[in-house]
Amino acid sequence: MAESKSGFTPQNPGFANRVQSSFAQQSVMNLIGAELVKVLPGEVEILLPFRDNLTQQHGFLHAGIITTIVDSACGYAALSLMPADASVLSVEFKVNLLAPAKGERFVARGMVVKPGRTITVCSGEVFALGSEELKLVATMTGTMMTLQGRPGVTEG
Amino acid sequence: MAESKSGFTPQNPGFANRVQSSFAQQSVMNLIGAELVKVLPGEVEILLPFRDNLTQQHGFLHAGIITTIVDSACGYAALSLMPADASVLSVEFKVNLLAPAKGERFVARGMVVKPGRTITVCSGEVFALGSEELKLVATMTGTMMTLQGRPGVTEG
Amino acid sequence: MAESKSGFTPQNPGFANRVQSSFAQQSVMNLIGAELVKVLPGEVEILLPFRDNLTQQHGFLHAGIITTIVDSACGYAALSLMPADASVLSVEFKVNLLAPAKGERFVARGMVVKPGRTITVCSGEVFALGSEELKLVATMTGTMMTLQGRPGVTEG
Amino acid sequence: MAESKSGFTPQNPGFANRVQSSFAQQSVMNLIGAELVKVLPGEVEILLPFRDNLTQQHGFLHAGIITTIVDSACGYAALSLMPADASVLSVEFKVNLLAPAKGERFVARGMVVKPGRTITVCSGEVFALGSEELKLVATMTGTMMTLQGRPGVTEG
């Protein structure tokens, strides 16, 4: 089984499949062209190639699109450590925008800081890649909640 | 000139055109189908009809898309009170997700809490509308920054 | 029973006593000289007279002391709507500092935005009062958690 | 000159004295018994021994006191990279409370994530130390602002 640097042990041996199948149901990821590229216990990465139709008024990636990929990366990092029958919900997050999001592609990394039965705290980073070196463009701190036993919600 | 309930007086008499032309350059708004529906001094509303391709794994609007519209609503509320030659940048925001974002359409309202020469603090709300009554699904607190004199950035 | 403007109905008829007795156990409130001055369902106010020994380097109230009173105001606003045997825990909060905290006394108001079985979202404000008019110096958005059935923690 | 792991180069060769003399003016630090224990370029640590009069209702350190030390640690980490004639102001911060703050002493560490001319983004951590191992009890993300040329404020 894949081991994260963080040393978390997943409760659900099928955590990677669980994350992949839930990600496949996030239709917004298909709209923007984002892909799930890494799933470890407590750590998930999502890749987003730049597209002109994802931008704000200065031609950079819109902060909401940055949030879309890093929120999912954090949520799935949390889900990777939850029981097999659980689902994940974002309770709240804070995003800091550190530099203009310009680049050829972007990687959002979500990492579990503190897992919990009900509440899991995650940390996220978004990097821009291009002709220049890797650049940190945003950070997130998010609170994720474990949902269990709610048919119609917890199956996703 | 339009008067907001908040009683702010815009520095730029052409603030509404300034906001509209900048919004028109946010190509992501076109991708998701969002429209600017209200521009008052210190208060902006953006409307987003529900679409299946904007959802997360449970079929609700993705938190990142909620953030996209409420970040722009807050940013433009801030811009409406800035000088004519200024541009606006999101420094950071926090979003709380209060209820599942299900509905036929969504309205994001951004309001200036405290305008400033460099930093403007805004408050945002996202409501879901549908067969049921109006429902508050998310709140934002955001810090916006005034940019002046940066060619290539401040013209947008 | 006291009615808040917000129209929340408390589950615990003895909510005000519950809040007062828990507040009396917060020894830091005694250290800084803070008093509980209002307890309504979903709304709590704490008063703090200015003292020289609570300041930062410019002689204004330290942001951490502002946070101390508004976090407790928000936490107790949440507790006022919880079951009689519950206790409250702050999960996270964000504070925006809008103006220098100078004044003769300060009032922190905590209000429930969205109560929930596990998670309650609150909004807080801190006002400075003095020779000048009332001034909003800080806002908070906080996530509070209901604790039940944890002896040694839930009795406080 | 002291070198931080982060590799930041201070603009002000006297940054450590600048931080120490400003810290000495924060009278709240004296009230609670906090000490400045490390000042590197972009990294500051504050130590706080546990005291009974700093607690909330369960006998743990109040979240506002945790915030007091980590806000100052972050603010001074930012100040350490600012020009000699600048002062620092907290614009906003978010704190996540990860575990009950019980211990014999607490260390708040503030680190610069992204320095800037106007805005500096910092990250903070608070650890509890005691008979048990070091435990992370809280994290902060904060936005700090550079103040220059405001007599009466920027001298502190």
Side-chain angles (χ1 to χ4, degrees), chain B residues 26-40:
Chain B
Q26 291 205 329
S27 62
V28 72
M29 295 299 159
N30 188 48
L31 177 71
I32 65 175
E35 283 174 75
L36 188 65
V37 290
K38 187 193 275 189
V39 184
L40 294 175

Side-chain angles (χ1 to χ4, degrees), chain C residues 27 52 55 58 62 72 93 153, chain D residues 27 52 55 58 62 72 95 153:
Chain C
S27 62
D52 275 337
T55 59
H58 307 127
H62 193 285
S72 281
F93 46 72
V153 173
Chain D
S27 62
D52 276 337
T55 59
H58 307 128
H62 193 284
S72 280
V95 174
V153 173

